Coordinates of all heavy atoms in Angstrom, one line a residue:
N264 N -37.8 26.2 0.4 CA -37.6 26.3 1.8 C -38.9 26.5 2.6 O -39.3 27.7 2.7 CB -36.5 27.3 2.2 CG -36.2 27.3 3.6 OD1 -36.6 26.4 4.3 ND2 -35.6 28.3 4.2
I265 N -39.5 25.6 2.9 CA -40.9 25.8 3.5 C -40.8 26.3 5.0 O -41.8 26.7 5.6 CB -41.7 24.4 3.7 CG1 -40.9 23.3 4.5 CG2 -41.9 23.8 2.2 CD1 -41.8 22.1 4.7
D266 N -39.6 26.5 5.5 CA -39.4 26.8 6.9 C -40.0 28.3 7.1 O -40.4 28.7 8.1 CB -38.0 26.9 7.3 CG -37.4 25.5 7.5 OD1 -38.2 24.5 7.1 OD2 -36.3 25.3 7.9
I267 N -40.0 29.1 5.9 CA -40.3 30.6 5.9 C -41.8 30.9 5.8 O -42.1 31.8 6.2 CB -39.6 31.2 4.8 CG1 -40.2 30.8 3.5 CG2 -38.1 31.0 4.9 CD1 -39.7 31.7 2.3
L268 N -42.6 29.8 5.6 CA -44.0 30.1 5.5 C -44.8 30.6 6.7 O -45.6 31.5 6.5 CB -44.7 28.8 4.9 CG -44.2 28.3 3.6 CD1 -44.9 27.0 3.1 CD2 -44.6 29.3 2.6
P269 N -44.6 30.1 7.8 CA -45.2 30.7 9.0 C -44.8 32.1 9.2 O -45.5 33.0 9.5 CB -44.7 29.7 10.2 CG -44.5 28.5 9.5 CD -43.9 28.8 8.2
L270 N -43.5 32.5 8.9 CA -43.0 33.8 9.0 C -43.6 34.7 7.9 O -43.9 35.9 8.3 CB -41.5 33.9 8.9 CG -40.9 35.2 9.0 CD1 -41.1 35.8 10.4 CD2 -39.3 35.0 8.8
V271 N -43.9 34.1 6.8 CA -44.5 34.9 5.8 C -45.9 35.5 6.3 O -46.3 36.6 6.1 CB -44.8 34.1 4.5 CG1 -45.7 34.7 3.5 CG2 -43.5 33.9 3.9
K272 N -46.6 34.6 7.0 CA -48.0 35.0 7.5 C -47.9 36.0 8.6 O -48.6 37.0 8.7 CB -48.6 33.7 8.0 CG -49.2 32.8 7.0 CD -50.2 33.5 6.1 CE -50.9 32.6 5.1 NZ -51.9 33.2 4.2
T273 N -47.0 35.8 9.6 CA -46.9 36.8 10.6 C -46.3 38.2 10.1 O -46.7 39.3 10.6 CB -45.9 36.2 11.8 OG1 -44.6 35.9 11.2 CG2 -46.6 35.0 12.4
T274 N -45.5 38.1 9.1 CA -45.0 39.3 8.4 C -46.2 40.1 7.7 O -46.2 41.3 7.8 CB -43.7 39.2 7.5 OG1 -42.7 38.4 8.2 CG2 -43.3 40.5 6.9
A275 N -47.0 39.3 6.9 CA -48.1 40.0 6.3 C -49.0 40.6 7.2 O -49.7 41.7 6.9 CB -48.9 38.8 5.5
A276 N -49.2 40.1 8.5 CA -50.2 40.7 9.4 C -49.6 42.1 9.9 O -50.3 42.8 10.5 CB -50.4 39.7 10.6
L277 N -48.2 42.2 9.8 CA -47.7 43.5 10.3 C -48.2 44.7 9.4 O -48.2 45.8 10.0 CB -46.2 43.4 10.1 CG -45.4 42.7 11.3 CD1 -44.0 42.5 10.9 CD2 -45.7 43.2 12.6
F278 N -48.6 44.6 8.3 CA -49.1 45.7 7.4 C -50.3 46.3 8.1 O -50.4 47.5 8.3 CB -49.5 45.2 6.1 CG -48.3 44.8 5.2 CD1 -48.1 43.5 4.9 CD2 -47.4 45.7 4.7 CE1 -47.0 43.1 4.2 CE2 -46.3 45.4 4.0 CZ -46.1 44.0 3.8
I279 N -51.3 45.5 8.4 CA -52.5 46.0 9.2 C -52.1 46.5 10.6 O -52.6 47.5 11.1 CB -53.6 44.9 9.2 CG1 -54.1 44.7 7.8 CG2 -54.8 45.5 10.1 CD1 -54.7 46.0 7.1
H280 N -51.2 45.7 11.3 CA -50.9 46.1 12.6 C -50.1 47.5 12.6 O -50.3 48.4 13.5 CB -49.8 45.1 13.2 CG -49.4 45.4 14.5 ND1 -50.2 45.5 15.6 CD2 -48.1 45.7 15.1 CE1 -49.6 45.7 16.7 NE2 -48.3 45.9 16.4
G281 N -49.4 47.8 11.6 CA -48.7 49.1 11.4 C -49.8 50.3 11.3 O -49.5 51.3 11.8
F282 N -50.8 50.0 10.6 CA -51.8 51.0 10.5 C -52.5 51.3 11.7 O -52.7 52.5 12.1 CB -52.8 50.5 9.3 CG -54.1 51.2 9.4 CD1 -54.2 52.5 8.8 CD2 -55.3 50.7 10.1 CE1 -55.4 53.2 8.9 CE2 -56.5 51.5 10.1 CZ -56.5 52.7 9.6
F283 N -52.8 50.2 12.5 CA -53.5 50.4 13.7 C -52.6 51.1 14.8 O -53.1 51.7 15.8 CB -54.1 49.1 14.2 CG -55.5 48.8 13.5 CD1 -55.5 47.9 12.6 CD2 -56.5 49.5 13.9 CE1 -56.7 47.5 12.0 CE2 -57.7 49.3 13.4 CZ -57.9 48.3 12.3
V284 N -51.3 50.7 14.8 CA -50.3 51.6 15.7 C -50.4 52.9 15.4 O -50.4 53.8 16.3 CB -49.0 50.8 15.5 CG1 -48.0 51.8 16.3 CG2 -48.8 49.5 16.1
L285 N -50.4 53.3 14.1 CA -50.4 54.7 13.8 C -51.8 55.4 14.2 O -51.9 56.5 14.8 CB -50.2 54.9 12.3 CG -48.8 54.6 11.7 CD1 -48.8 54.8 10.2 CD2 -47.7 55.5 12.3
F286 N -52.8 54.6 13.9 CA -54.2 55.1 14.5 C -54.2 55.2 15.9 O -54.8 56.3 16.4 CB -55.2 54.1 14.0 CG -56.6 54.4 14.6 CD1 -57.4 55.3 14.2 CD2 -57.0 53.6 15.7 CE1 -58.7 55.6 14.7 CE2 -58.3 53.8 16.3 CZ -59.1 54.8 15.8
M287 N -53.7 54.4 16.6 CA -53.7 54.4 18.2 C -52.8 55.6 18.6 O -53.2 56.3 19.5 CB -52.9 53.1 18.7 CG -52.8 53.0 20.2 SD -52.3 51.3 20.6 CE -50.8 51.2 19.9
V288 N -51.7 55.8 18.0 CA -50.8 56.9 18.5 C -51.5 58.2 18.1 O -51.5 59.2 18.9 CB -49.4 56.9 17.7 CG1 -48.7 58.2 17.9 CG2 -48.7 55.8 18.1
L289 N -52.2 58.3 17.1 CA -53.0 59.6 16.7 C -54.1 59.8 17.8 O -54.4 60.9 18.2 CB -53.6 59.5 15.3 CG -54.5 60.5 14.9 CD1 -53.8 62.0 14.9 CD2 -55.0 60.3 13.4
L290 N -54.8 58.7 18.1 CA -55.9 58.8 19.0 C -55.4 59.2 20.4 O -55.9 60.1 21.0 CB -56.5 57.5 19.2 CG -57.8 57.3 20.1 CD1 -59.0 58.2 19.6 CD2 -58.2 56.0 20.2
F291 N -54.3 58.8 20.9 CA -53.6 59.1 22.1 C -53.2 60.7 22.0 O -53.4 61.4 23.0 CB -52.3 58.3 22.4 CG -52.6 57.1 23.3 CD1 -53.3 56.0 22.7 CD2 -52.3 57.1 24.7 CE1 -53.5 54.8 23.4 CE2 -52.6 56.0 25.4 CZ -53.2 54.8 24.8
A292 N -52.7 61.1 20.9 CA -52.5 62.5 20.7 C -53.6 63.4 20.8 O -53.4 64.5 21.4 CB -51.7 62.8 19.3
L293 N -54.8 63.0 20.4 CA -56.0 63.7 20.3 C -56.4 63.9 21.8 O -57.1 64.9 22.2 CB -57.1 63.1 19.6 CG -56.9 63.1 18.0 CD1 -58.0 62.4 17.4 CD2 -56.9 64.6 17.6
Y294 N -56.1 63.0 22.7 CA -56.4 63.0 24.1 C -55.3 63.7 24.9 O -55.4 63.7 26.2 CB -56.6 61.6 24.7 CG -58.1 61.2 24.4 CD1 -58.5 60.6 23.2 CD2 -59.1 61.2 25.4 CE1 -59.8 60.1 23.0 CE2 -60.4 60.8 25.3 CZ -60.8 60.3 24.1 OH -62.0 59.8 23.8
G295 N -54.3 64.1 24.3 CA -53.2 64.9 25.0 C -52.0 64.2 25.3 O -51.0 64.6 25.8
Y296 N -52.0 62.8 24.9 CA -50.8 62.0 25.1 C -49.9 62.0 23.8 O -50.0 61.1 23.0 CB -51.2 60.6 25.4 CG -51.8 60.4 26.7 CD1 -53.3 60.4 26.8 CD2 -51.1 60.2 27.9 CE1 -53.9 60.3 28.0 CE2 -51.8 60.0 29.1 CZ -53.2 60.2 29.2 OH -53.9 60.0 30.4
C297 N -49.2 63.2 23.6 CA -48.4 63.4 22.3 C -47.2 62.3 22.2 O -46.6 62.0 23.2 CB -47.9 64.8 22.4 SG -49.3 66.0 22.3

Side-chain angles (χ1 to χ4, degrees):
N264 181 15
I265 62 175
D266 294 7
I267 68 174
L268 293 178
L270 181 57
V271 167
K272 288 295 186 179
T273 56
T274 303
L277 282 173
F278 291 106
I279 293 299
H280 181 63
F282 166 79
F283 278 105
V284 167
L285 293 176
F286 169 77
M287 179 174 60
V288 171
L289 176 61
L290 185 62
F291 268 75
L293 292 176
Y294 275 83
Y296 296 91
C297 296

